[in-house]
Amino acid sequence: MRERVGGLGLAVVCAGRQCERTASVLPVRGLPGSIIALVVKDTADGVSSQILKGAQVTAMESDSAVSVIETGSSGQRTQQMLDHLADKVNGVILPTDAPGISFIRDYAKRVPLVVLNRSLEAWPALCPIRASAPCALSLLKHYHHTAVTYVAGPAASWANQSRWAAVHDIGNRMGFKVNQIGPVHPTVEGGYQAALALEGGDTTAIITYNDLIAVGIVLRFTADGVNVPGDVSVIGFDNTLIAPVVMPPITSIRIPRAQLGQVAVRRLLLMMISPMILLRVFLWIPGMPFGIYVFAC
């Protein structure tokens, strides 16, 4: 390994074999022919496709099917689509942060619902990101970094807020000096913008909202003569396909979204055969380093 990370092309994974073992348990038999809706903002973002892959595996094992519904980023359209689906599907997986908490609480009384990757007011923050952040920060600490800058994505995004909270809270506990810049657009161009703001400063370690921003930073730094990872370590989020093809490759944090999809479907199938009112339930699967919030009817 080099002295600094950022050009190593690593996927920082905190799930590993534990998640694989959990995914191999016996299938849950829900209602035969059950239809589950996976409601997402964007089907082309590479994130929803990972959740879908895991969800489909468990659904097919249980004689069920998963349908993907794309709503865009509008909270109003998402709520309208969820209302439309209420009487047409047997359950809903909701990884988007578009609907408000009041809507989710009411909707959970109508349709079995699993909410992924989201903290809901009084509930504590979810674990996938908090399980992954220590891996990245430990790697930076191993290479003797003492400060880290988080490059923020969309300010209204729950994912952005939770990633910053994890880097900030865990980083401080590990002795890092942590600061944030942005928000920038979650694209390569946004990364260029961030790089221009960072150049000339004393930043030596960067964690970005997503891989695209990380790619933009690395490309801009490289063009301007900044050595990555020799001078600056850059870590992205999501371990998307673009991370390993950039030169130098991007070190990235991978969240086990396929396993999240599997666990979500399994929980929905259990709800279908054993209906109950469950508000404020945190689902923890033994052996998995993350949890998901479950709202059921």
Side-chain angles (χ1 to χ4, degrees), residues 62-130:
S62 307
D63 301 321
S64 301
V66 179
S67 175
V68 182
I69 307 295
E70 183 180 60
T71 64
S73 59
S74 167
Q76 181 179 3
R77 174 170 168 74
T78 301
Q79 292 181 188
Q80 290 172 344
M81 185 58 65
L82 287 167
D83 280 331
H84 180 71
L85 291 170
D87 299 324
K88 298 177 175 62
V89 298
N90 302 100
V92 173
I93 302 172
L94 189 64
T96 171
D97 56 7
I101 179 62
S102 297
F103 177 87
I104 288 177
R105 282 177 171 153
D106 291 339
Y107 194 76
K109 299 173 185 177
R110 302 164 56 193
V111 184
L113 174 64
V114 173
V115 180
L116 301 183
N117 296 335
R118 188 175 182 185
S119 177
L120 300 170
E121 291 188 348
W123 286 265
L126 270 180
C127 295
I129 292 168
R130 288 188 173 269

Side-chain angles (χ1 to χ4, degrees), residues 47-72:
V47 173
S48 56
S49 62
Q50 296 172 38
I51 298 173
L52 174 63
K53 183 177 180 180
Q56 285 178 323
V57 168
T58 300
M60 287 189 292
E61 290 174 351
S62 307
D63 301 321
S64 301
V66 179
S67 175
V68 182
I69 307 295
E70 183 180 60
T71 64

Side-chain angles (χ1 to χ4, degrees), residues 242-266:
I242 194 173
V245 300
V246 182
M247 290 303 294
I250 304 296
T251 297
S252 188
I253 298 170
R254 179 166 69 87
I255 297 173
R257 291 190 174 86
Q259 288 86 351
L260 281 174
Q262 289 179 292
V263 175
V265 170
R266 188 172 301 280

Side-chain angles (χ1 to χ4, degrees), residues 184-198:
V184 300
H185 201 269
T187 61
V188 172
E189 289 74 18
Y192 289 165
Q193 178 185 351
L196 293 174
L198 290 164

